[in-house]
């Protein structure tokens, strides 16, 4: 294994050297103020909370089906579109300005329902025939689903980028210890954490959640114990889809853009988060998502600026993808996924 | 009762399919392609096909003939009702703010040019008649049915590709006379359509009569047939640009490029079982290396000639493949797919970034790449480059074919099936995997190199993940591990969409659908590799149904 | 190292997380022998194989083969050293043909490079022809003559078992490891398989280490038997010695001497005739 271990050690060394050199360089240069660092961290947490929500869907589906549902990012996109089509008339009629809570509830509900339903439909149409199939077929089918969803939405609603409405209350900023905190970020993080807490409770406490964990643990045994595996799978897709729908609404709210291709990149990154946390592990996915968001947001300034890279922010996706590849190479079982990885072996 | 429910459900499904086609914008676009000039366009043909298929499916297993007819009628009526409903809604509710395809033109089409009320009635009736016709078709003699289907298919093909076919018939004399008989400048003449229908249908009838007495071909015979059909395909490829002109030459150039890359990815995915989605990265390496080495602009490094740069580009691609392969050697299956996908994206972003701009030109790319020349003969036009591509693809195919039946090829197949066992039998995983990555990258790099000289410039935007997906899709549709499958896949997925230009934006919708459909119903591909056909043959006696679905 | 022993395991230990699948196992296999390892379910038999072939790396301990340390090598190097194996749940390359399975087994003994194959050099062609001839002979030996062009997955169960053994033989091993070659077979098929294994030893002049679940099966043909339970060796010796060992009977019974009659009968039937005389 010498050539391989040499390569692996070279990669390790390079990554560590880069991170250390970059960090030291950045600290020495002292280009960024505390307020800026705070901004990076806050944004990292905000975007991370969305990755975490999407990562949950990957991890839960992987748990019950051992399938990377590659189309999950696009399920998020569906939710964003649904939210957009509810938000726009609400904003135009002034309702969203006057009743932010009711309005947001309606928008989120639309995102959840549409994403959940589409997720269940994809399972029914595309994935069900592959329940027992090993090999590439399911993954390639998932690619097909991803393309199909994207292109369907492009055909239905056009390829132009639609701008999400920006209600006035959204511009609220909190001030605290000399730092300004955008209200949207707080809203997104708080709601995301709340929804994830609910999901965690569902998985831990309800009958269906327990059945889901049983299937993840050992599908055949669960079936023998009388768990209706088919129902569990549908439930998993619905739950993961709804979560992705919420993330899609928030994502559109943050970036103010809705377009058919918007789910792809966050989808891949969220998968990276799921692997980082240990695929199959629900808390792991949340953790991994947040971590990935943080690294992606802070990384360019912290690691890349220090070694003299111009416009480091352009490379933030590179950091996210690199982190994902490093995890896949060096620790495929992730942080919390010890036992799941063993089962893969 | 059950039959009725089933027929209604079938109608509902087909109706939903029709509504989908309409709202996604396909129907309206198809309307612009005439089949028989002034009479039938592609959109109407597809509607009719939907109704017919609905009837066939609804009538299946419905018992006696009259019950079948009833089931077909009901299915068609339900589907038609759905479409009629859509038409009325589009007419009354302003939907276009949301669904961009819900235009007056669409409504007009769905109403066959009538007002909403009568239009809905017409659609309902049309659906019913179509469904009934489908049911009748389902109960007629198989040979007759085949003849009708063949005739109709021939008419549709002759109509849809009329531009191309007419281009190839630019001769005086008998060919010119046939052309004038069959075509106007915008499509088939009715008389031409009838003639084609009769000829194709008749041929099918005659053939089916003959083949009923035919024997099952022996393996030798099948091999010979494969060789002959591959040879004919090659001949057509070689002669096509000469017959059909420069535009076809350009399309074929692209097809050739994808055949070349398909051969490379086929080694990795089809034989060695390494699902690589970062293939585009090595395509980019080949293109940029060629560009930087040869470009006459200020960013060019050495100003080499194309022939000097090409081997270097291939070597550097191989190096890239091996260097990337080393760390991911231990990454398996699905995880490898995602890791390689990440790599492809990283390469694209880096090439695009300001960081690498001084070297690679950033979004402006690298311009002024010379064309290759042999002596004083410059391979300037796409058609000439097509022959270069064809030669390269041929070499690639030859290498792939030789490797397939070699010690290395067997080792690849073994590790595709079971990596641990292959290793326990003495297969050196590192060597075999790196060879797969390296050779795959070589083909991709060569493709990139040709691509660079073809365009005369390279831009980061040319190296999207979509390239990887295109290549992957074509080897899957063609048949994983099958060399003729690669050619067929490239023609179907790269060539056809280029010919049907106006559907360009729907190309990836087709790809997505094709991937799902292929994986579900025909995982071995359109032209399965010999192993796979052998398998289907051998499985006749003692097949395991689940295992038979499992692609390698 | 003693000359006579072909394989030597010293204090071989393998843990999975907290569970010890194998603890301090000492095992010595004499050249030319048929040596059986028996033990109840989960005793750690397959783990021994995995640790010898380095499919799993031992947590601690040493493995010596022909006076060379082989633990720490990669599995392909172990194969090159002369050890080959079969699997408890048949692991053929299902999607390629029987003869190709054998040819993959010959990988180490086909001396050609990939560029030779591409160029079609005479050397490569000779090697291929030789390999094919050898594979055909092997196919004949495992009674699959004429079935070589079938996909491995389409062979009958017993044929698959024999093909797997043939594939292992194709690597020209000095030591052949067989993991429950009779699993899932009826008594008639089992005795045929045992006869086949004896034929393998005679024909190829190799040493065989054989895992069996039921002791009765291997009694007649083993030169030596090792009994494992809970990852440790509880008895070793000739079949007769092992059959009489109280610890062995206890392991198969799972209860100390005061066993219910039915259970004792069951154990007796597993252990074979000699035990029931006691
Ligand atoms: N890869 C693994 N991961 C975790 N535990 C394992 C693994 N392989 C084996 N074990 C455990 O080690 C113990 C010994 O297993 P082993 O397969 O060696 O038993 P065996 O004697 O071959 O049993 P059997 O007769 O059922 O084949 C068992 O408890 C098993 O659960
Ligand atoms: Mg075992």
């Amino acid at each position: 294994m010498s050539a391989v271990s040499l390569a692996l050690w070279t990669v390790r060394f390079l990554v560590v050297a880069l991170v250390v050199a970059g960090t030291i360089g950045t600290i020495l240069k002292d280009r960024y103020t505390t307020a800026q660092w705070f901004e990076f961290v806050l944004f990292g947490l905000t975007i991370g909370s969305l990755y975490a929500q999407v990562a949950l869907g990957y991890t839960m589906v992987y748990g019950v089906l051992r399938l990377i549902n590659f189309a999950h990012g696009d399920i998020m996109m569906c939710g964003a579109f649904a939210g957009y089509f509810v938000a726009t008339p609400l904003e135009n009629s002034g309702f969203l300005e006057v009743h932010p809570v009711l309005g947001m509830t309606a928008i989120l509900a639309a995102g959840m329902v549409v994403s959940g339903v589409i997720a269940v439909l994809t399972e029914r149409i595309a994935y069900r025939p592959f329940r027992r199939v090993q090999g590439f077929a399911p993954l390639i089918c998932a690619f097909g689903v991803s393309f199909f969803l994207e292109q369907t939405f492009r055909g239905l609603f056009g390829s132009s980028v639609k701008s999400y409405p920006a209600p006035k209350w959204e511009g609220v900023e909190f001030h605290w210890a000399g730092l300004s905190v955008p209200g949207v970020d707080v809203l997104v993080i708080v709601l995301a954490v709340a929804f994830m807490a609910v999901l965690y409770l569902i998985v831990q406490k309800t009958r269906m959640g327990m059945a889901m964990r049983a299937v993840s643990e050992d599908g055949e045994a669960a079936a023998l114990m009388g768990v209706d595996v088919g129902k569990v799978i549908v439930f998993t897709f619905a739950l993961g889809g709804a979560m992705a729908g919420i993330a899609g609404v928030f994502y559109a709210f943050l970036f103010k853009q809705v377009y058919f291709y918007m789910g792809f990149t966050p989808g891949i990154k969220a998968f990276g988060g799921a692997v980082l946390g240990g695929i199959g592990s629900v808390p792991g996915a949340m953790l991994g998502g947040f971590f990935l968001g943080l690294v992606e947001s802070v990384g360019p300034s912290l690691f890349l600026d220090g070694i003299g890279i111009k416009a480091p922010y352009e490379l933030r996706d590179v950091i996210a993808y690199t982190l994902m590849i490093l995890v896949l190479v060096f620790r495929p079982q992730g942080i919390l996924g010890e036992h799941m990885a063993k089962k893969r072996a | 009762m059950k039959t009725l429910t089933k027929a209604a459900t079938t109608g509902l499904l087909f109706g939903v399919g029709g509504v989908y086609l309409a709202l996604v914008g396909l129907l309206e676009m198809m309307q612009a392609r005439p089949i028989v000039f002034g009479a039938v366009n592609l959109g109407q043909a597809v509607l009719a096909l939907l109704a017919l298929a609905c009837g066939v499916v609804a009538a299946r297993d419905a018992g006696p003939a009259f019950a079948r007819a009833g089931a077909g009628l009901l299915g068609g009526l339900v589907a038609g009702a759905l479409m009629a409903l859509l038409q009325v809604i589009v007419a009354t509710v302003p939907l276009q703010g949301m669904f961009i395809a819900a235009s007056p033109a669409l409504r007009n089409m769905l109403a066959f040019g009538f007002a909403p009320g009568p239009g809905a009635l017409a659609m309902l009736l049309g659906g019913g008649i179509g469904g009934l016709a489908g049911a009748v078709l389902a109960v007629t003699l198989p040979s007759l049915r085949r003849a009708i289907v063949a005739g109709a298919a021939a008419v549709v093909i002759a109509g849809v590709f009329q531009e191309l076919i007419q281009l190839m018939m630019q001769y005086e004399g008998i060919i010119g006379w046939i052309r004038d008989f069959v075509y106007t400048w915008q499509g088939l003449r009715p008389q031409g359509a009838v003639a084609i229908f009769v000829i194709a249908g008749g041929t099918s009838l005659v053939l089916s009569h003959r083949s009923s007495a035919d024997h099952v071909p022996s393996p030798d015979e099948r091999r010979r047939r494969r060789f002959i059909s591959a040879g004919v395909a090659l001949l057509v490829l070689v002669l096509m640009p000469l017959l059909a002109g420069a535009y076809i030459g350009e399309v074929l150039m692209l097809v050739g490029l994808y055949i070349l890359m398909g051969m490379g990815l086929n080694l990795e995915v089809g034989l060695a079982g390494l699902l690589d989605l970062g293939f585009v990265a090595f395509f980019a390496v080949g293109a940029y290396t060629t560009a930087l080495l040869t470009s006459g602009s200020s960013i060019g490094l050495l100003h080499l000639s194309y022939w000097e740069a090409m081997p270097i580009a291939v070597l550097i691609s191989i190096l890239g493949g091996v260097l990337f392969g080393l760390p991911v050697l231990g990454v398996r299956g699905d995880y490898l797919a995602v890791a390689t996908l990440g790599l492809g994206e990283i390469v694209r972003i880096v090439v695009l970034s300001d960081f690498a701009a001084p070297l690679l030109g950033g979004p402006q790319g690298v311009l002024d790449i010379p064309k290759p020349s042999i002596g004083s003969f410059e391979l300037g036009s796409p058609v000439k480059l097509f022959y270069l591509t064809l030669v390269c693809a041929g070499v690639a195919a030859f290498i792939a074919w030789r490797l397939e039946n070699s010690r290395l090829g067997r080792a690849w197949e073994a590790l595709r099936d079971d990596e641990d066992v292959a290793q326990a039998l003495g297969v050196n995983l590192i060597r075999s995997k790196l060879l797969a990555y390296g050779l795959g990258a070589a083909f991709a790099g060569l493709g990139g190199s040709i691509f660079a000289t073809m365009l005369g410039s390279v831009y980061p935007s040319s190296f999207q993940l979509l390239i990887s997906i295109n290549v992957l899709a074509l080897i899957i549709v063609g048949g994983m591990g099958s060399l003729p499958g690669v050619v067929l896949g490239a023609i179907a997925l790269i060539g056809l969409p280029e010919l049907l230009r106006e559907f360009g934006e729907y190309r990836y919708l087709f790809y997505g659908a094709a991937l799902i459909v292929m994986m579900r119903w025909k995982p071995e591909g359109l032209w399965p590799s010999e192993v796979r056909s052998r398998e289907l043959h051998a499985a006749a006696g003692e097949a395991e149904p689940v295992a038979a679905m499992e692609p390698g | 190292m003693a000359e006579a022993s072909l394989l030597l395991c010293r204090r071989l230990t393998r843990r999975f997380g907290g569970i010890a699948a194998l603890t301090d196992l000492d095992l010595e296999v004499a050249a030319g022998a048929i040596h059986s390892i028996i033990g109840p379910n989960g005793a750690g038999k397959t783990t021994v194989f995995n640790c010898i072939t380095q499919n799993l790396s031992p947590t601690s301990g040493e493995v010596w083969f022909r006076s060379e340390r082989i633990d720490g090598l990669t599995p392909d190097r172990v194969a090159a050293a002369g050890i080959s194996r079969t699997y408890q749940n048949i692991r053929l390359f299902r999607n390629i043909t029987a003869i190709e399975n054998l040819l993959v087994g010959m990988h180490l003994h086909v001396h050609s490079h990939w560029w030779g194959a591409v160029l079609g050099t005479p050397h490569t062609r000779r090697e291929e022809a030789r390999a094919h001839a050898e594979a055909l002979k092997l196919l004949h030996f495992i009674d699959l003559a004429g079935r070589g062009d079938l996909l491995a997955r389409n062979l009958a169960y017993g044929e698959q078992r024999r093909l797997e053994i043939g594939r292992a033989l194709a690597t020209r091993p000095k030591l052949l490891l067989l993991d429950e070659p009779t699993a899932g077979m009826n008594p008639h098929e089992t005795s045929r398989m045992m006869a086949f294994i004896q034929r393998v030893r005679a024909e190829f002049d190799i040493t065989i280490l054989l895992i069996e679940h039921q002791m009765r099966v291997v009694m007649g043909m083993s030169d030596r038997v090792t009994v494992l339970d809970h990852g440790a060796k509880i008895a070793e010796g000739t079949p007769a010695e092992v059959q009489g060992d109280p610890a062995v009977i206890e392991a198969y019974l799972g209860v100390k001497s005061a066993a219910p009659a039915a259970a004792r009968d069951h154990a007796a039937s597993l252990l074979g005739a000699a035990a029931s005389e006691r």
Side-chain angles (χ1 to χ4, degrees):
Chain A
M1 283 307 259
S2 63
V4 182
S5 19
L6 186 72
L8 292 181
W9 278 109
T10 314
V11 171
R12 278 192 186 101
F13 175 77
L14 280 180
V15 168
V16 172
L18 221 107
V19 166
V20 170
T23 310
I24 293 175
T26 306
I27 292 173
L28 289 182
K29 268 195 207 161
D30 199 20
R31 279 240 323 251
Y32 299 94
T33 62
T34 316
Q36 276 173 312
W37 284 118
F38 178 76
E39 205 175 292
F40 292 146
V41 171
L42 188 68
F43 182 73
L45 289 177
T46 313
I47 191 82
S49 73
L50 303 185
Y51 292 158
Q53 290 184 74
V54 180
L56 280 170
Y58 277 110
T59 237
M60 291 191 301
V61 167
Y62 190 87
V64 295
L65 278 186
R66 300 289 183 273
L67 162 80
I68 298 178
N69 180 11
F70 194 82
H72 194 59
D74 301 299
I75 302 280
M76 177 189 123
M77 174 273 292
C78 300
F81 264 93
Y84 166 81
F85 283 118
V86 175
T88 309
L90 285 187
E91 172 69 11
N92 289 345
S93 67
F95 184 86
L96 193 58
E97 299 289 351
V98 190
H99 304 284
V101 176
L102 270 182
M104 277 311 282
T105 310
I107 296 170
L108 282 174
M112 278 171 81
V113 169
V114 168
S115 281
V117 168
I118 291 181
V120 169
L121 279 180
T122 59
E123 192 276 332
R124 177 70 194 84
I125 294 167
Y127 299 141
R128 196 167 290 181
F130 295 108
R131 287 255 174 96
R132 295 185 161 276
V133 177
Q134 300 282 314
F136 300 152
L139 185 69
I140 287 170
C141 198
F143 276 118
V145 172
S146 167
F147 270 65
F148 190 77
L149 281 179
E150 279 171 17
Q151 296 300 319
T152 297
F153 272 67
R154 196 196 58 71
L156 291 178
F157 308 118
S159 56
S160 59
V161 175
K162 302 181 185 327
S163 59
Y164 219 74
K168 291 196 187 61
W169 46 260
E170 198 199 71
V172 173
E173 288 202 350
F174 304 106
H175 293 276
W176 171 70
L179 305 168
S180 68
V181 184
V184 200
D185 290 9
V186 177
L187 180 78
V188 167
I189 296 179
V190 168
L191 282 182
V193 169
F195 278 115
M196 284 193 278
V198 170
L199 178 128
Y200 189 71
L201 284 181
I202 291 178
V203 172
Q204 290 297 321
K205 299 285 186 230
T206 64
R207 273 181 65 91
M208 215 49 188
M210 283 191 248
M212 195 174 107
R213 280 184 296 141
V215 173
S216 300
E217 200 67 39
D218 184 342
E220 271 169 37
L224 287 177
M225 305 276 285
V227 173
D228 182 345
V229 178
K231 233 163 103 183
V232 168
I233 290 172
V234 169
F235 174 76
T236 308
F237 270 86
L239 201 60
M243 214 62 195
I246 298 170
V249 169
F250 286 151
Y251 195 87
F253 225 80
L254 276 179
F255 293 99
K256 291 286 165 249
Q257 289 184 341
V258 179
Y259 54 101
F260 71 97
Y261 199 56
M262 65 183 282
F264 178 77
T265 310
I268 305 280
K269 288 185 193 166
F271 173 75
V275 176
L276 189 66
I279 197 139
S281 151
V282 168
M286 300 183 196
L287 221 77
F290 273 110
F291 187 73
L292 197 87
L294 214 54
V295 170
E296 168 189 318
S297 169
V298 176
S301 323
L302 188 59
F303 311 141
L304 298 184
D305 208 350
I307 50 175
I309 287 177
K310 281 185 293 176
Y313 206 65
E314 282 180 354
L315 297 181
R316 73 175 205 287
D317 285 0
V318 171
I319 292 189
Y321 289 134
T322 308
L323 179 63
M324 178 181 83
I325 296 179
L326 289 177
V327 174
L328 289 173
V329 170
F330 290 106
R331 206 177 155 76
Q333 73 273 36
I335 308 169
L336 300 180
E338 193 77 52
H339 91 152
M340 201 47 102
K342 209 178 290 162
K343 245 172 235 149
R344 283 175 64 85
Chain B
M1 192 58 219
K2 218 171 143 198
T3 317
L4 289 187
T5 323
K6 193 193 149 235
T9 318
T10 308
L12 215 59
L13 279 179
F14 275 85
V16 168
V19 170
Y20 175 86
L21 288 182
L23 285 184
V24 98
L26 267 171
L27 271 188
E28 201 185 324
M29 190 156 275
M30 289 171 173
Q31 208 185 355
R33 274 256 166 186
I35 291 183
V36 180
F37 181 64
V40 186
N41 62 49
L42 184 60
Q44 290 159 341
V46 166
L47 279 183
L49 186 72
L50 267 177
L52 278 176
C54 178
V56 171
V57 176
R60 201 189 288 155
D61 323 317
F66 71 89
R68 289 192 181 204
L73 179 67
L74 178 66
L77 280 177
V78 171
L82 231 60
M83 296 296 282
L85 187 67
L86 175 70
Q87 186 258 123
V88 173
I89 291 177
V90 172
T92 47
V93 186
L95 270 186
Q96 216 176 352
M98 195 166 170
F99 297 101
I100 54 167
S103 63
L106 176 74
R107 190 215 69 81
N108 198 39
M109 177 196 179
L110 291 179
F112 304 105
F114 298 119
L121 205 63
M123 177 59 87
L124 191 66
L125 275 179
I129 294 171
L132 192 61
V136 170
L137 200 60
V139 293
T140 47
L141 280 175
S143 59
L144 189 62
R145 183 168 63 224
R146 234 174 289 142
I148 293 173
V149 169
V155 170
V156 170
I157 289 172
V160 169
F161 294 107
Q162 57 102 3
E163 250 180 298
L164 174 62
I165 298 173
Q166 291 214 49
L167 263 178
M168 293 170 63
M169 296 175 85
Q170 291 302 315
Y171 297 98
E172 297 298 313
I174 181 83
I175 295 180
W177 183 84
I178 295 177
R179 188 193 70 223
D180 286 338
F181 177 78
V182 175
Y183 287 112
T184 72
W185 263 116
Q186 286 108 326
L188 285 172
R189 290 175 201 274
Q191 60 196 34
V194 171
I196 290 174
F197 183 87
V198 169
I199 292 173
T203 315
S204 160
L205 259 185
V206 171
L207 282 183
S208 67
H209 265 284
R210 269 238 211 103
S211 68
S212 56
D214 221 337
H215 65 288
V216 181
S218 71
D220 263 351
E221 203 168 327
R222 270 188 295 139
R223 191 165 318 135
R224 206 169 330 125
R225 279 189 198 175
R226 287 170 79 91
F227 262 103
I228 290 171
S229 33
V232 168
L234 194 70
L235 202 69
V236 169
L237 274 181
V238 171
L239 294 181
M240 200 69 159
L242 301 178
L243 291 176
Y247 174 61
I248 292 300
E250 266 170 64
V251 173
L252 283 178
M253 160 85 216
L254 217 54
V255 171
L257 207 57
Y258 273 98
I259 292 178
L260 176 57
M261 292 200 284
M263 292 290 168
L265 192 64
N266 196 33
L267 291 185
E268 286 182 45
V269 181
L271 286 186
L274 303 166
L275 190 47
D276 181 357
L277 297 176
F279 206 60
V280 62
F282 307 114
F283 181 66
V285 169
Y288 267 92
T289 311
T290 307
L292 291 177
L293 289 177
T294 60
S295 169
S297 70
S298 60
I299 211 170
L301 297 175
L302 293 176
H303 311 294
L304 298 181
S305 78
Y306 179 75
W307 298 119
E308 289 162 335
M310 184 170 95
I312 303 179
V314 171
L315 278 181
I316 293 194
S317 306
I318 294 179
L319 198 67
V322 171
L323 277 185
F324 173 71
L326 268 174
V328 301
L329 274 177
V331 183
R332 290 186 188 189
D334 299 359
Y335 277 18
L336 181 67
V338 185
T340 49
L341 184 140
L343 171 86
E345 286 291 280
I346 287 176
V347 168
R348 184 180 61 83
I349 299 168
V350 168
V351 169
L352 191 62
S353 70
D354 283 352
F355 160 62
L359 181 63
L360 303 178
Q364 278 76 44
V366 185
L367 308 178
D368 196 12
I369 301 166
K371 302 275 185 240
S373 48
I374 303 168
S376 60
F377 180 70
E378 188 180 69
L379 298 176
S381 67
V383 175
K384 288 173 193 152
L385 277 173
F386 163 67
Y387 288 106
L388 172 66
T389 317
L390 201 63
V391 170
C392 289
V395 171
F398 180 77
I399 293 177
W401 173 63
R402 278 288 173 84
L403 284 180
E404 208 177 287
N405 300 306
S406 74
R407 175 176 180 264
L408 179 63
R410 288 191 298 265
W412 279 339
E413 284 177 318
L415 62 105
R416 178 190 69 195
D417 267 15
D418 193 329
E419 203 172 301
D420 294 328
V421 176
Q423 198 184 17
L425 291 169
V427 173
N428 184 329
L429 291 190
I430 301 174
R431 252 181 78 87
S432 345
K433 281 194 182 180
L434 287 184
L435 272 169
Y437 285 122
L439 286 168
F443 290 2
L446 182 58
S449 175
I450 296 175
F451 183 73
T453 183
M454 175 184 87
L455 292 186
S457 51
V458 291
Y459 304 99
S461 58
S462 307
F463 305 101
Q464 308 275 350
L465 169 74
L466 288 179
I467 306 258
S468 297
I469 299 286
N470 284 345
V471 183
L472 183 70
L474 78 88
I475 62 174
I476 285 167
V477 168
M480 256 200 263
S482 148
L483 299 182
V486 172
V487 178
L488 196 65
I491 291 173
L493 290 192
I494 309 297
L496 274 190
E498 289 294 326
L499 291 181
L500 304 170
R501 262 161 313 172
E502 72 264 34
F503 297 103
E505 19 176 346
Y506 290 95
R507 175 170 179 167
Y508 291 103
L509 186 66
F510 287 127
Y511 280 22
L515 287 184
I516 300 173
V517 168
M518 292 305 287
M519 282 297 112
R520 238 190 110 152
W521 284 287
K522 209 164 163 31
E524 76 278 7
L526 292 179
W527 192 324
S529 71
E530 219 167 315
V531 175
R532 295 223 170 261
S533 34
R534 237 183 313 173
E535 153 187 339
L536 295 176
H537 218 66
E542 335 150 38
E544 299 156 78
V546 179
M549 282 294 294
E550 185 177 321
Chain C
M1 294 303 103
E3 275 308 302
S5 68
L6 185 70
L7 177 83
L8 189 69
C9 300
R10 276 218 198 118
R11 304 182 62 84
L12 202 57
T13 301
R14 169 72 206 199
R15 285 193 203 93
F16 293 108
I19 312 157
L22 210 58
T23 340
D24 285 339
L25 177 77
D26 291 317
L27 183 71
E28 198 172 336
V29 179
I34 292 186
H35 189 134
S36 299
I37 300 180
I38 62 167
N41 276 344
K45 306 181 293 289
T46 301
T47 307
V48 177
F49 273 20
N50 285 335
C51 288
I52 293 173
T53 58
Q54 304 302 314
N55 283 20
L56 289 173
S57 41
T59 312
S60 66
E62 300 169 0
V63 185
W64 295 77
F65 180 66
R66 303 221 291 168
S67 312
E68 310 252 0
R69 269 295 277 278
I70 58 166
D71 52 299
L73 297 184
T74 49
D76 51 316
R77 302 277 302 282
V78 174
I83 301 181
S84 190
R85 70 173 291 185
T86 65
Y87 299 83
Q88 186 167 354
N89 47 338
I90 307 172
R91 283 170 80 172
L92 288 169
F93 304 118
R94 295 164 52 78
N95 298 313
I96 58 179
T97 59
I99 196 118
E100 283 167 340
N101 267 277
L102 296 179
L103 285 168
V104 174
M106 269 172 223
H107 188 81
L108 286 166
H109 305 287
V110 181
H111 301 285
S112 67
H113 284 291
W114 64 270
W115 62 81
V118 170
L119 300 176
T121 57
H123 171 75
T124 310
R125 286 191 200 180
R126 262 199 316 274
E127 280 291 304
E128 282 292 311
R130 191 185 53 73
H132 272 273
E134 197 178 324
L136 279 176
K137 253 197 256 165
L138 207 50
L139 201 66
H140 193 78
F141 177 76
I142 58 176
D143 273 344
L144 282 177
R147 312 270 289 162
D149 283 336
L150 287 176
L151 286 188
R153 64 151 75 133
N154 292 326
L155 294 174
Y157 183 77
E159 292 177 323
Q160 292 196 5
R161 282 268 174 220
R162 289 201 303 277
L163 179 59
E164 206 192 15
I165 295 176
R167 189 182 65 182
L169 288 170
T171 67
R172 302 189 192 155
K174 310 275 182 312
L175 174 64
L176 179 63
L177 311 182
L178 302 174
D179 195 344
E180 299 203 26
T182 64
M185 290 186 170
N186 64 31
H188 177 63
E189 291 166 334
T190 302
S191 61
R192 272 186 52 189
M193 177 53 87
M194 285 299 155
F196 176 68
I197 290 170
Q198 278 167 311
R199 208 147 62 79
V200 167
R201 175 175 56 172
E203 186 93 7
F204 289 84
D205 190 24
I206 55 178
T207 311
I208 292 176
L209 184 59
L210 176 73
I211 289 183
E212 252 307 326
H213 188 64
Q214 303 184 17
M215 192 197 281
R216 186 179 43 197
V217 174
V218 294
M219 281 307 140
M221 56 182 280
S222 305
D223 299 309
R224 211 169 167 75
V225 178
T226 301
V227 188
L228 289 188
D229 191 21
H230 294 113
K233 181 158 79 180
I234 57 167
E236 190 170 63
T238 63
E241 285 164 10
V242 167
Q243 267 172 325
D245 195 316
V248 176
I249 299 166
E250 190 193 308
Y252 270 83
L253 272 171
V255 200
K256 289 237 180 242
S257 47
R264 201 178 305 136
D265 283 354
H266 177 61
S269 80
L270 279 175
L271 291 173
S276 59
E277 281 166 18
R278 281 161 52 93

